[in-house]
Coordinates of all heavy atoms in Angstrom, one line a residue:
M1 N 108.9 157.4 56.5 CA 108.5 156.8 58.0 C 107.7 155.6 57.8 O 107.8 154.8 58.6 CB 107.6 158.1 58.5 CG 107.1 157.8 59.8 SD 108.3 158.3 60.9 CE 107.4 157.9 62.5
L2 N 106.8 155.5 56.8 CA 105.9 154.4 56.7 C 106.8 153.1 56.3 O 106.5 152.0 56.8 CB 104.9 154.6 55.7 CG 103.7 153.4 55.6 CD1 103.1 153.1 56.9 CD2 102.8 153.8 54.6
I3 N 107.7 153.3 55.4 CA 108.5 152.1 54.9 C 109.4 151.5 56.0 O 109.4 150.3 56.1 CB 109.4 152.7 53.8 CG1 108.5 153.1 52.5 CG2 110.5 151.6 53.3 CD1 108.8 153.0 51.2
P4 N 110.0 152.3 56.8 CA 110.8 151.5 57.9 C 109.8 150.9 58.9 O 110.2 149.7 59.3 CB 111.5 152.7 58.7 CG 111.6 153.9 57.7 CD 110.4 153.7 56.9
M5 N 108.7 151.2 59.1 CA 107.7 150.5 60.0 C 107.2 149.2 59.3 O 107.2 148.2 59.9 CB 106.5 151.4 60.2 CG 106.8 152.4 61.3 SD 105.4 153.5 61.5 CE 104.1 152.3 62.2
M6 N 107.2 149.3 58.0 CA 106.7 148.1 57.2 C 107.9 147.1 57.1 O 107.6 145.9 57.3 CB 106.3 148.5 55.7 CG 105.0 149.2 55.7 SD 104.7 149.8 53.9 CE 104.6 148.4 53.0
V7 N 109.1 147.6 57.0 CA 110.2 146.7 57.1 C 110.3 146.0 58.5 O 110.6 144.9 58.5 CB 111.5 147.5 56.7 CG1 112.8 146.6 57.0 CG2 111.6 147.9 55.3
K8 N 110.2 146.8 59.5 CA 110.2 146.3 60.8 C 109.1 145.3 61.0 O 109.3 144.3 61.6 CB 110.1 147.5 61.8 CG 110.3 147.0 63.3 CD 110.2 148.2 64.3 CE 110.5 147.7 65.7 NZ 110.5 148.9 66.6
F9 N 107.9 145.7 60.6 CA 106.7 144.7 60.7 C 107.0 143.4 59.9 O 106.7 142.3 60.4 CB 105.5 145.3 60.2 CG 104.3 144.4 60.2 CD1 103.7 144.1 61.3 CD2 103.9 143.7 59.1 CE1 102.6 143.1 61.5 CE2 102.7 143.0 59.1 CZ 102.2 142.7 60.3
G10 N 107.7 143.6 58.8 CA 108.0 142.3 57.9 C 108.9 141.4 58.7 O 108.9 140.3 58.7
F11 N 109.9 142.1 59.2 CA 110.9 141.3 60.0 C 110.2 140.5 61.2 O 110.5 139.4 61.4 CB 112.1 142.3 60.5 CG 113.0 141.6 61.4 CD1 114.0 140.7 60.8 CD2 113.0 141.7 62.8 CE1 114.9 140.0 61.7 CE2 113.9 141.1 63.5 CZ 114.8 140.3 63.1
M12 N 109.6 141.2 62.0 CA 108.8 140.7 63.1 C 107.8 139.5 62.7 O 107.8 138.5 63.3 CB 107.9 141.7 63.9 CG 108.9 142.8 64.6 SD 110.1 141.9 65.8 CE 108.9 141.3 67.0
H13 N 107.2 139.7 61.5 CA 106.3 138.8 61.1 C 107.0 137.5 60.7 O 106.7 136.4 61.1 CB 105.6 139.3 59.8 CG 104.5 138.3 59.3 ND1 104.9 137.5 58.2 CD2 103.3 137.9 59.6 CE1 103.9 136.7 57.9 NE2 102.9 136.9 58.7
K14 N 108.1 137.7 60.1 CA 109.0 136.5 59.6 C 109.5 135.8 60.8 O 109.6 134.5 60.9 CB 110.0 137.0 58.7 CG 110.8 135.9 58.1 CD 111.8 136.3 57.0 CE 112.5 135.2 56.3 NZ 113.3 135.7 55.4
F15 N 110.0 136.6 61.8 CA 110.5 136.1 63.0 C 109.4 135.3 63.8 O 109.7 134.0 64.1 CB 111.1 137.1 63.9 CG 111.7 136.6 65.3 CD1 112.8 136.2 65.3 CD2 110.8 136.8 66.4 CE1 113.4 135.8 66.6 CE2 111.3 136.4 67.7 CZ 112.6 135.8 67.8
I16 N 108.3 135.8 63.9 CA 107.2 135.1 64.8 C 106.8 133.8 63.9 O 106.6 132.7 64.4 CB 106.0 135.9 64.9 CG1 106.4 137.1 66.0 CG2 104.8 135.2 65.5 CD1 105.5 138.1 66.0
Y17 N 106.7 133.9 62.6 CA 106.3 132.8 61.8 C 107.3 131.7 61.9 O 106.9 130.5 62.1 CB 106.2 133.3 60.4 CG 106.0 132.2 59.4 CD1 104.6 131.6 59.1 CD2 107.0 131.6 58.6 CE1 104.4 130.7 58.2 CE2 106.7 130.6 57.8 CZ 105.4 130.1 57.6 OH 105.2 129.1 56.6
N18 N 108.5 132.0 61.8 CA 109.6 130.9 62.0 C 109.5 130.3 63.4 O 109.7 129.1 63.5 CB 111.1 131.5 61.8 CG 111.3 131.9 60.3 OD1 110.6 131.3 59.4 ND2 112.1 132.8 60.0
K19 N 109.3 131.0 64.4 CA 109.3 130.4 65.8 C 108.0 129.4 65.9 O 108.2 128.5 66.4 CB 109.2 131.5 66.9 CG 110.4 132.4 67.1 CD 111.4 131.5 67.6 CE 112.7 132.2 68.0 NZ 113.7 131.4 68.5
V20 N 106.9 130.0 65.3 CA 105.7 129.1 65.4 C 105.8 127.8 64.6 O 105.5 126.8 65.1 CB 104.4 130.0 64.8 CG1 103.2 129.0 64.7 CG2 104.1 131.1 65.8
M21 N 106.4 128.0 63.4 CA 106.6 126.8 62.5 C 107.6 125.8 63.2 O 107.5 124.6 63.1 CB 107.2 127.1 61.1 CG 106.0 127.9 60.3 SD 104.5 127.1 60.4 CE 104.8 125.7 59.2
S22 N 108.7 126.3 63.8 CA 109.6 125.5 64.6 C 108.9 124.7 65.7 O 109.2 123.5 65.9 CB 110.9 126.2 65.0 OG 110.6 127.0 66.0
I23 N 108.1 125.3 66.4 CA 107.3 124.8 67.5 C 106.4 123.7 67.0 O 106.2 122.6 67.5 CB 106.5 125.8 68.4 CG1 107.5 126.7 69.0 CG2 105.6 125.1 69.3 CD1 106.9 127.9 69.8
L24 N 105.7 124.0 65.9 CA 104.8 122.9 65.3 C 105.5 121.7 64.9 O 105.1 120.6 64.9 CB 104.0 123.6 64.2 CG 102.9 124.6 64.5 CD1 102.3 125.2 63.3 CD2 102.0 123.9 65.4
D25 N 106.7 122.0 64.2 CA 107.5 120.9 63.7 C 108.0 120.0 64.9 O 108.0 118.8 64.9 CB 108.8 121.3 63.0 CG 108.5 121.9 61.7 OD1 107.5 121.5 61.2 OD2 109.3 122.7 61.2
K26 N 108.4 120.5 66.0 CA 108.8 119.8 67.2 C 107.6 119.0 67.7 O 107.7 117.8 68.1 CB 109.2 120.7 68.3 CG 109.8 120.0 69.4 CD 110.5 120.9 70.4 CE 111.1 120.1 71.5 NZ 112.0 120.7 72.4
I27 N 106.4 119.6 67.7 CA 105.2 118.8 68.2 C 104.8 117.6 67.3 O 104.6 116.6 67.7 CB 103.9 119.8 68.3 CG1 104.1 120.9 69.4 CG2 102.6 119.1 68.4 CD1 103.1 122.0 69.3
K28 N 105.0 117.8 65.9 CA 104.7 116.7 65.1 C 105.8 115.6 65.3 O 105.4 114.5 65.1 CB 104.9 117.2 63.5 CG 103.7 118.1 63.2 CD 104.0 118.7 61.7 CE 102.8 119.6 61.3 NZ 102.9 120.2 59.9
Q29 N 107.1 116.0 65.5 CA 108.0 115.0 65.6 C 107.8 114.2 67.0 O 107.9 113.0 67.0 CB 109.5 115.6 65.8 CG 110.0 116.2 64.5 CD 111.3 116.8 64.6 OE1 111.8 117.1 65.7 NE2 111.9 117.3 63.5
D30 N 107.3 114.9 68.0 CA 106.9 114.2 69.2 C 105.8 113.3 69.0 O 105.7 112.1 69.6 CB 106.7 115.2 70.4 CG 107.7 115.9 70.7 OD1 109.1 115.5 70.4 OD2 107.8 117.0 71.5
N31 N 104.8 113.8 68.2 CA 103.6 112.8 68.0 C 103.9 111.6 67.2 O 103.4 110.6 67.4 CB 102.6 113.7 67.2 CG 101.7 114.6 68.2 OD1 101.9 114.5 69.4 ND2 101.2 115.6 67.5
K32 N 104.8 111.8 66.2 CA 105.3 110.8 65.4 C 105.9 109.5 66.4 O 105.8 108.5 66.1 CB 106.3 111.2 64.3 CG 105.4 111.7 63.1 CD 106.5 112.1 62.1 CE 105.7 112.9 60.9 NZ 106.8 113.3 59.8
A33 N 106.9 110.1 67.2 CA 107.6 109.1 68.1 C 106.6 108.4 69.1 O 106.8 107.3 69.2 CB 108.6 109.9 69.0
S34 N 105.6 109.0 69.5 CA 104.6 108.4 70.5 C 103.7 107.6 69.6 O 103.3 106.5 70.1 CB 103.8 109.4 71.2 OG 103.0 110.2 70.4
N35 N 103.3 107.9 68.4 CA 102.6 107.0 67.5 C 103.1 105.8 67.1 O 102.6 104.8 67.1 CB 102.0 107.9 66.3 CG 100.9 108.8 66.7 OD1 100.4 108.8 67.7 ND2 100.7 109.8 65.7
S36 N 104.4 105.9 66.9 CA 105.2 104.6 66.5 C 105.2 103.7 67.6 O 105.2 102.4 67.4 CB 106.5 104.9 66.1 OG 107.4 105.4 67.1
D37 N 105.2 104.0 68.9 CA 105.3 103.1 70.0 C 103.7 102.5 70.2 O 103.6 101.3 70.5 CB 105.5 103.8 71.3 CG 107.0 104.2 71.4 OD1 107.7 103.6 70.7 OD2 107.4 105.1 72.1
A38 N 102.8 103.3 69.9 CA 101.4 102.9 70.0 C 101.0 101.8 69.0 O 100.2 100.8 69.2 CB 100.4 104.0 69.8
F39 N 101.7 101.7 67.9 CA 101.4 100.7 66.7 C 102.5 99.7 66.6 O 102.4 99.0 65.7 CB 101.2 101.4 65.4 CG 100.0 102.4 65.4 CD1 100.2 103.7 65.5 CD2 98.8 101.7 65.5 CE1 99.0 104.6 65.5 CE2 97.6 102.6 65.4 CZ 97.8 104.1 65.4
S40 N 103.3 99.6 67.6 CA 104.4 98.5 67.5 C 103.6 97.2 67.7 O 102.7 97.1 68.5 CB 105.6 98.6 68.6 OG 104.9 98.6 69.8
L41 N 104.3 96.1 67.2 CA 103.7 94.7 67.3 C 104.4 94.0 68.4 O 105.6 94.1 68.5 CB 103.9 94.1 65.8 CG 103.2 94.6 64.6 CD1 103.7 93.9 63.4 CD2 101.7 94.5 64.9
S42 N 103.6 93.1 69.0 CA 104.2 92.2 70.0 C 105.1 91.0 69.4 O 104.8 90.8 68.1 CB 103.2 91.6 70.9 OG 102.4 90.7 70.2
K43 N 105.8 90.3 70.1 CA 106.5 89.2 69.5 C 105.5 88.1 68.9 O 105.7 87.6 67.8 CB 107.5 88.6 70.5 CG 108.5 87.7 70.1 CD 109.5 87.3 71.0 CE 110.5 86.5 70.4 NZ 111.7 86.1 71.2
Q44 N 104.5 87.9 69.6 CA 103.6 86.9 69.2 C 102.9 87.4 67.8 O 102.6 86.5 67.0 CB 102.5 86.7 70.3 CG 102.9 85.9 71.5 CD 101.8 85.6 72.5 OE1 100.9 86.7 72.7 NE2 101.6 84.4 73.0
E45 N 102.5 88.6 67.8 CA 101.8 89.2 66.6 C 102.8 89.0 65.3 O 102.4 88.6 64.3 CB 101.5 90.7 66.8 CG 100.3 90.8 67.7 CD 100.1 92.2 68.1 OE1 101.1 93.1 68.1 OE2 99.0 92.6 68.3
I46 N 104.1 89.3 65.6 CA 105.0 89.3 64.5 C 105.2 87.7 64.1 O 105.2 87.3 62.9 CB 106.4 89.8 64.9 CG1 106.3 91.3 65.0 CG2 107.4 89.5 63.9 CD1 107.5 92.0 65.8
E47 N 105.2 87.0 65.1 CA 105.4 85.4 64.7 C 104.2 85.0 64.0 O 104.3 84.2 63.0 CB 105.4 84.7 66.2 CG 105.9 83.3 66.0 CD 106.0 82.5 67.3 OE1 106.6 83.2 68.3 OE2 105.6 81.3 67.3
F48 N 102.9 85.4 64.3 CA 101.8 85.1 63.7 C 101.8 85.5 62.2 O 101.5 84.7 61.3 CB 100.6 85.7 64.3 CG 99.1 85.4 63.6 CD1 98.7 84.1 63.7 CD2 98.6 86.4 63.0 CE1 97.4 83.9 63.0 CE2 97.4 86.2 62.3 CZ 96.9 84.9 62.3
L49 N 102.3 86.7 62.0 CA 102.3 87.2 60.6 C 103.4 86.5 59.7 O 103.1 86.1 58.6 CB 102.7 88.7 60.6 CG 101.6 89.6 61.1 CD1 102.2 91.1 61.2 CD2 100.3 89.7 60.1
L50 N 104.4 86.1 60.4 CA 105.6 85.3 59.6 C 104.9 84.0 59.3 O 105.2 83.4 58.2 CB 106.8 85.2 60.5 CG 107.5 86.5 60.7 CD1 108.7 86.4 61.6 CD2 108.1 87.0 59.3
I51 N 104.2 83.4 60.2 CA 103.7 82.0 59.8 C 102.7 82.1 58.8 O 102.6 81.3 57.8 CB 103.0 81.4 61.1 CG1 104.1 80.9 62.1 CG2 102.2 80.1 60.8 CD1 103.4 80.6 63.4
L52 N 101.8 83.2 58.8 CA 100.8 83.4 57.7 C 101.6 83.6 56.3 O 101.1 83.2 55.5 CB 99.9 84.6 58.0 CG 98.9 84.5 59.0 CD1 98.2 85.8 59.2 CD2 97.9 83.3 58.6
I53 N 102.6 84.4 56.4 CA 103.4 84.6 55.1 C 104.0 83.3 54.6 O 104.0 83.1 53.4 CB 104.5 85.7 55.3 CG1 103.7 87.0 55.6 CG2 105.4 85.7 54.3 CD1 104.7 88.2 56.0
K54 N 104.5 82.4 55.6 CA 105.2 81.2 55.2 C 104.3 80.3 54.4 O 104.5 79.7 53.5 CB 105.7 80.7 56.4 CG 106.4 79.2 56.1 CD 106.9 78.6 57.5 CE 105.5 77.9 58.0 NZ 105.6 76.8 58.8
D55 N 102.9 80.2 55.1 CA 101.9 79.4 54.3 C 101.2 79.9 53.1 O 100.3 79.2 52.6 CB 101.0 79.0 55.5 CG 101.6 78.2 56.6 OD1 102.6 77.6 56.3 OD2 101.0 78.2 57.7
A56 N 101.4 81.2 52.7 CA 100.7 81.8 51.8 C 101.4 81.7 50.4 O 102.5 81.3 50.3 CB 100.5 83.3 52.1
N57 N 100.7 82.0 49.4 CA 101.2 81.9 47.8 C 101.3 83.3 47.5 O 100.3 84.1 47.7 CB 100.3 81.1 46.9 CG 100.4 79.6 47.4 OD1 101.4 78.9 47.7 ND2 99.4 78.9 47.3
F58 N 102.4 83.6 46.8 CA 102.5 85.1 46.2 C 102.9 85.1 44.7 O 103.6 84.1 44.3 CB 103.5 85.8 47.0 CG 103.2 85.9 48.5 CD1 103.6 85.0 49.4 CD2 102.4 87.0 48.8 CE1 103.3 85.2 50.7 CE2 102.1 87.2 50.3 CZ 102.6 86.3 51.1
K59 N 102.5 86.1 44.0 CA 102.9 86.1 42.7 C 104.3 86.6 42.6 O 104.8 87.3 43.5 CB 101.9 87.2 41.9 CG 100.6 86.8 41.8 CD 99.9 87.8 41.0 CE 98.4 87.4 40.8 NZ 97.6 88.3 40.1
G60 N 105.0 86.3 41.6 CA 106.4 86.7 41.4 C 106.5 88.2 41.5 O 107.7 88.6 41.9
E61 N 105.7 89.1 41.0 CA 105.7 90.5 41.0 C 105.8 91.0 42.5 O 106.2 92.1 42.6 CB 104.7 91.1 40.2 CG 103.3 90.9 40.8 CD 102.1 91.3 39.8 OE1 102.2 90.8 38.7 OE2 101.2 91.9 40.4
H62 N 105.4 90.2 43.4 CA 105.4 90.8 44.9 C 106.6 90.2 45.6 O 106.8 90.6 46.9 CB 104.1 90.3 45.4 CG 102.9 90.8 44.8 ND1 101.8 90.0 44.5 CD2 102.5 92.0 44.5 CE1 100.9 90.8 44.0 NE2 101.3 92.0 43.9
V63 N 107.4 89.4 45.0 CA 108.6 88.7 45.8 C 109.5 89.8 46.5 O 109.9 89.7 47.5 CB 109.4 87.7 44.8 CG1 110.6 87.4 45.6 CG2 108.5 86.7 44.5
E64 N 109.8 90.9 45.6 CA 110.8 92.0 46.2 C 110.2 92.6 47.5 O 110.7 92.7 48.5 CB 111.2 92.9 45.2 CG 112.2 93.9 45.6 CD 112.7 94.8 44.5 OE1 112.3 94.6 43.4 OE2 113.4 95.7 45.0
L65 N 109.0 93.0 47.3 CA 108.2 93.6 48.5 C 108.1 92.7 49.6 O 108.2 93.2 50.6 CB 106.8 94.2 48.0 CG 106.1 94.9 49.1 CD1 106.7 96.1 49.7 CD2 104.7 95.3 48.4
L66 N 107.7 91.5 49.3 CA 107.5 90.4 50.5 C 108.8 90.2 51.1 O 108.9 90.2 52.3 CB 107.1 89.1 49.7 CG 106.8 88.0 50.6 CD1 105.8 88.3 51.8 CD2 106.5 86.6 49.9
Y67 N 110.1 90.1 50.3 CA 111.2 90.0 51.0 C 111.6 91.0 51.8 O 112.0 90.8 53.1 CB 112.4 89.9 49.9 CG 113.8 89.7 50.4 CD1 114.3 88.5 50.8 CD2 114.5 90.8 50.5 CE1 115.6 88.4 51.4 CE2 115.8 90.9 51.1 CZ 116.3 89.6 51.6 OH 117.6 89.6 52.1
S68 N 111.3 92.3 51.5 CA 111.5 93.4 52.3 C 110.7 93.4 53.6 O 111.3 93.7 54.7 CB 111.4 94.8 51.6 OG 111.5 95.9 52.4
L69 N 109.5 93.0 53.4 CA 108.6 93.1 54.6 C 109.0 91.9 55.6 O 109.0 92.1 56.7 CB 107.1 92.8 54.2 CG 106.1 92.4 55.1 CD1 105.9 93.7 56.0 CD2 104.8 92.0 54.5
V70 N 109.3 90.7 55.1 CA 109.7 89.7 55.9 C 111.1 90.0 56.5 O 111.2 89.8 57.8 CB 109.9 88.3 55.2 CG1 110.6 87.2 55.9 CG2 108.5 87.9 54.8
Y71 N 111.9 90.6 56.0 CA 113.2 91.0 56.7 C 112.9 92.0 57.8 O 113.5 91.8 58.8 CB 114.1 91.6 55.5 CG 115.4 92.1 56.1 CD1 116.5 91.3 56.4 CD2 115.7 93.5 56.4 CE1 117.8 91.6 56.9 CE2 116.9 93.8 56.9 CZ 117.9 92.9 57.2 OH 119.1 93.4 57.7
K72 N 112.1 93.0 57.5 CA 111.8 93.9 58.7 C 111.1 93.3 59.8 O 111.4 93.5 61.0 CB 110.8 95.0 58.1 CG 111.6 96.0 57.2 CD 110.7 97.0 56.6 CE 111.3 97.9 55.7 NZ 110.4 98.8 55.0
L73 N 110.1 92.4 59.5 CA 109.5 91.7 60.5 C 110.5 90.7 61.4 O 110.5 90.8 62.6 CB 108.4 90.8 59.9 CG 107.0 91.5 59.5 CD1 106.2 90.4 58.8 CD2 106.4 92.1 60.8
Q74 N 111.3 90.2 60.7 CA 112.5 89.3 61.4 C 113.3 90.2 62.3 O 113.7 89.8 63.4 CB 113.3 88.5 60.3 CG 112.5 87.4 59.8 CD 113.4 86.7 58.6 OE1 114.3 87.4 58.2 NE2 113.1 85.4 58.4
Q75 N 113.8 91.4 61.7 CA 114.5 92.3 62.6 C 113.8 92.7 63.9 O 114.4 92.7 65.0 CB 115.0 93.4 61.7 CG 115.8 93.1 60.6 CD 117.2 92.6 61.1 OE1 117.7 92.9 62.0 NE2 117.6 91.6 60.1
Q76 N 112.4 93.0 63.7 CA 111.7 93.3 64.8 C 111.5 92.1 65.8 O 111.6 92.3 67.0 CB 110.3 94.0 64.4 CG 110.4 95.3 63.9 CD 109.0 95.9 63.7 OE1 108.0 95.3 64.2 NE2 108.9 96.9 63.0
Y77 N 111.3 91.0 65.2 CA 111.2 89.7 66.1 C 112.4 89.4 66.9 O 112.3 89.1 68.1 CB 110.8 88.7 65.2 CG 110.6 87.3 65.9 CD1 109.3 87.0 66.4 CD2 111.5 86.3 66.0 CE1 109.0 86.0 67.1 CE2 111.2 85.1 66.6 CZ 109.9 84.9 67.2 OH 109.8 83.8 67.9
Q78 N 113.6 89.7 66.3 CA 114.8 89.3 67.0 C 115.1 90.3 68.0 O 115.8 90.1 69.1 CB 115.9 89.2 66.0 CG 115.9 88.2 65.1 CD 117.0 88.1 64.1 OE1 117.5 89.0 63.8 NE2 117.1 87.0 63.2
T79 N 114.6 91.6 68.0 CA 115.0 92.6 68.9 C 113.9 92.5 70.2 O 114.3 93.2 71.2 CB 114.8 94.0 68.4 OG1 113.5 94.3 67.9 CG2 115.8 94.2 67.3
K80 N 112.9 91.8 70.0 CA 111.9 91.7 71.2 C 112.4 90.5 72.1 O 112.9 89.7 71.8 CB 110.5 91.5 70.6 CG 110.1 92.8 70.0 CD 108.7 92.9 69.7 CE 108.3 94.2 68.9 NZ 107.9 95.2 69.7

C-alpha cells in the first residue's frame, strides 16, 4: 500500500517539477529578449566605435577577434 503511494507521489513530483522548470525557462527566454533590446547600440554609437577602432593600433594576436567584432558592428550599422 505504501509503495503505490510513493510511486504516485514520485510521478506527481516529477510532473510538477517539469512544469515549474518549463515556466522558468520561458521566463528566462523572455528576459533575454527584453535585455537584448535594452542594450542595443544606436547608429551613432556604432559609428563612434568603428571610428575609434579605425584610429587605434592592435597587436597581431587580436586581429581575428577584431575582424569579427568589426564585422558584427558593420552588420548592425547597416540594419539601422
Side-chain angles (χ1 to χ4, degrees):
M1 177 92 178
L2 184 60
I3 298 213
M5 288 178 60
M6 290 174 62
V7 170
K8 186 175 182 180
F9 176 74
F11 173 76
M12 288 302 293
H13 178 265
K14 189 173 183 179
F15 178 77
I16 293 170
Y17 175 80
N18 288 339
K19 287 292 184 185
V20 169
M21 293 309 289
S22 67
I23 292 170
L24 289 175
D25 287 342
K26 187 171 184 172
I27 290 170
K28 286 179 186 178
Q29 288 174 353
D30 291 344
N31 284 342
K32 284 182 185 178
S34 65
N35 285 343
S36 66
D37 292 339
F39 293 109
S40 67
L41 299 172
S42 71
K43 191 169 185 173
Q44 285 181 319
E45 291 169 330
I46 295 172
E47 188 174 324
F48 177 74
L49 289 173
L50 289 170
I51 290 169
L52 284 178
I53 292 170
K54 179 186 78 156
D55 294 337
N57 292 321
F58 298 95
K59 293 183 179 181
E61 62 194 49
H62 299 132
V63 170
E64 187 176 350
L65 178 61
L66 179 64
Y67 174 81
S68 176
L69 173 66
V70 169
Y71 180 77
K72 289 177 184 178
L73 286 171
Q74 286 177 337
Q75 295 299 326
Q76 285 188 14
Y77 183 81
Q78 290 173 352
T79 60
K80 294 198 182 257

